[in-house]
């Protein structure tokens, strides 16, 4: 086993452990600030959406079908439909638009 591999594992372990350990060490008392509470509440949603949203447009290999499926998903999520329904409709729309786009070209 090379030393490079061991160093990489140690660096990854440190950088994945630090974000979990630091809040426990610094915030020993209950957080009473509404701003900090809301910040800590919404950070996971913001990070997840910022990581997944750009890949939505490259998932199908066709930017047009991905964009239309994304717009359909945004519409149905705005109408308070469930996650499974929104994802299913977006997948079906992406396949249909991709199929029609292939037929047109």
């Amino acid at each position: 086993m090379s030393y490079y591999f061991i160093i990489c594992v140690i660096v990854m372990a440190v950088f994945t452990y630090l974000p979990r350990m630091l809040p426990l060490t610094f915030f020993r008392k209950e957080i009473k600030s509404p701003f900090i509470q809301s910040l800590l509440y919404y950070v996971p949603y913001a990070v997840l959406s910022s990581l997944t949203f750009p890949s939505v447009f490259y998932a199908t290999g066709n930017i047009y079908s991905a964009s239309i499926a994304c717009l359909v998903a945004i519409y149905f999520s705005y109408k308070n439909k469930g996650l499974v329904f929104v994802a299913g409709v977006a997948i079906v729309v992406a396949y249909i638009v991709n199929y029609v786009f292939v037929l047109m070209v």
Side-chain angles (χ1 to χ4, degrees):
M1 188 179 303
S2 70
Y3 291 111
Y4 178 74
F5 178 74
I6 294 171
I7 291 172
C8 288
V9 169
I10 291 171
V11 168
M12 286 188 296
V14 166
F15 281 103
T16 56
Y17 182 70
L18 278 178
R20 295 173 187 185
M21 186 236 356
L22 288 178
L24 292 175
T25 58
F26 289 123
F27 302 121
R28 294 188 184 263
K29 296 180 182 177
E30 182 181 351
I31 299 172
K32 295 182 180 177
S33 169
F35 175 73
I36 299 294
Q37 283 182 344
S38 66
L39 180 75
L40 292 174
Y41 181 78
Y42 287 113
V43 162
Y45 299 111
V47 169
L48 180 64
S49 62
S50 68
L51 289 173
T52 57
F53 189 72
S55 64
V56 166
F57 297 105
Y58 301 106
T60 63
N62 185 347
I63 193 80
Y64 301 114
S65 64
S67 299
I68 292 171
C70 183
L71 289 174
V72 168
I74 290 171
Y75 172 77
F76 281 118
S77 64
Y78 183 73
K79 294 291 185 180
N80 292 327
K81 299 296 180 185
L83 177 64
V84 174
F85 178 79
V86 171
V89 168
I91 290 169
V92 169
V93 167
Y95 276 118
I96 291 172
V97 171
N98 203 11
Y99 182 74
V100 169
F101 185 74
V102 168
L103 287 179
M104 290 175 46
V105 174

